[in-house]
Amino acid sequence: MDIEKTMVDTKGGNWELEGKKFHSRLMIGSALYPSPEIMKKAIIASGSQIVTVALRRQSATSLQGGNQFWNIIKELDVTVLPNTAGCHTAKEAITTAMMAREIFETNWIKLEVIGNQYTLQPDPFALVEATKSLISEGFRVLPYMTDDLVLAQKLADLGCTTLMPWGSPIGSGRGLMNPYNLKVIRKQFPKLNLIVDAGIGKPSDAIEAMELGFDGILLNSAVALAQEPIKMAKAFKYATYAGRLGFEAGTMQKRDMATPSTPTVGTPFWHQFS
């Protein structure tokens, strides 16, 4: 069996996000890699069709800076998702988003407004303010948020069709700190695209998130900082697929008591007296 072809053909391979269709549910970042070449190979290995880029990475004009990076991204033929990483106020995030739309020629924006420098936790008030402004300007806003149900409702009410709650703080690799909150958000917003963004540290974290019914995973550090980024990227590719397939298949319910998988009724006569 050609597993690569099977991954594309599965019904999980017809994912619609903000008006576009994708077969991969893994989104990957473009920062922190040991070299541009490793970044390129890791993105290819991940199978991701959506790559996040920070506008501030594009400020350099030298061959070894922004131009080289941007040429690699264009060669990959992926959908670019600009983000407002590093912004700490709604005004700063809005300005960055406006610039990103001009540079990358897309109205998609991953909106980040950091409220705490230690945890890199998003500022919910500034996030709502910036989201409201950017949606009025025609942006498709994908907000990076905490796993807060009230915040999720406010962002959905503003018109967001995709929400990106964290699993745990950015770059922490701690996995899903509060699966209960994530399950509640999934249950409350069955029609929205929900993507776990930040904190994913290992492939099993991605599987867990996808088994909860989340639509996608966005990660960066877990691949870029791995001892072998290209191999880890491929691991996350399969983990995201496996988790989604498990969710679609319907996992068995946990039980308090053991239940034999092979019943004694109907067993061969010789087996009972052996």
Side-chain angles (χ1 to χ4, degrees):
M1 179 186 296
D2 186 341
I3 190 170
E4 302 287 345
K5 185 176 186 298
T6 302
M7 289 174 68
V8 174
D9 289 346
T10 181
K11 69 177 182 178
N14 192 26
W15 179 34
E16 185 168 330
L17 178 69
E18 299 297 330
K20 294 184 179 182
K21 290 188 176 181
F22 303 92
H23 62 74
S24 173
R25 292 173 179 268
L26 175 62
M27 305 160 71
I28 195 166
S30 55
L32 304 176
Y33 292 90
S35 71
E37 185 63 23
I38 290 178
M39 177 196 73
K40 178 181 177 180
K41 290 180 178 179
I43 292 173
I44 292 173
S46 75
S48 177
Q49 298 168 285
I50 303 173
V51 176
T52 61
V53 297
L55 178 64
R56 296 177 185 190
R57 287 188 57 133
Q58 308 312 309
S59 59
T61 57
S62 67
L63 180 61
Q64 298 302 317
N67 284 350
Q68 182 188 22
F69 170 82
W70 183 231
N71 286 337
I72 291 173
I73 296 298
K74 286 191 291 185
E75 288 174 7
L76 292 170
D77 190 28
V78 293
T79 294
V80 172
L81 175 60
N83 66 43
T84 60
C87 293
H88 291 80
T89 66
K91 182 178 180 181
E92 186 180 11
I94 292 167
T95 300
T96 301
M98 294 289 188
M99 295 172 63
R101 180 162 64 178
E102 294 299 318
I103 292 173
F104 299 113
E105 299 180 342
T106 178
N107 63 347
W108 285 27
I109 191 73
K110 178 192 168 187
L111 183 61
E112 296 182 34
V113 189
I114 301 303
N116 182 277
Q117 194 59 39
Y118 179 72
T119 63
L120 299 181
Q121 180 172 328
D123 181 332
F125 306 102
L127 185 63
V128 168
E129 179 185 347
T131 296
K132 182 177 181 179
S133 176
L134 290 172
I135 287 179
S136 71
E137 294 289 341
F139 281 88
R140 307 294 290 263
V141 178
L142 291 78
Y144 163 61
M145 53 176 285
T146 55
D147 52 357
D148 185 299
L149 181 60
V150 176
L151 176 58
Q153 186 64 65
K154 290 186 179 297
L155 293 168
D157 290 344
L158 288 174
C160 290
T161 57
T162 301
L163 301 177
M164 305 180 76
W166 70 358
S168 52
I170 294 173
S172 69
R174 299 184 67 85
L176 307 188
M177 293 190 304
N178 199 330
Y180 174 78
N181 278 13
L182 295 174
K183 287 171 67 175
V184 170
I185 292 174
R186 175 71 284 177
K187 184 176 181 180
Q188 291 295 313
F189 302 99
K191 295 183 179 180
L192 297 188
N193 269 309
L194 298 181
I195 299 166
V196 173
D197 175 15
I200 297 294
K202 54 188 183 296
S204 58
D205 296 334
I207 292 175
E208 182 182 5
M210 296 302 288
E211 286 180 343
L212 291 177
F214 275 71
D215 299 285
I217 300 292
L218 195 160
L219 54 82
N220 188 169
S221 302
V223 169
L225 301 182
Q227 293 182 15
E228 297 187 45
I230 299 166
K231 186 177 291 185
M232 185 62 76
K234 181 165 284 191
F236 274 108
K237 173 183 180 178
Y238 293 129
T240 303
Y241 169 71
R244 180 64 187 183
L245 205 59
F247 169 72
E248 292 176 351
T251 55
M252 67 174 287
Q253 297 298 311
K254 293 182 179 180
R255 300 166 176 168
D256 292 330
M257 300 292 290
T259 303
S261 58
T262 305
T264 57
V265 176
T267 55
F269 180 84
W270 61 267
H271 179 73
Q272 296 182 22
F273 292 93
S274 61

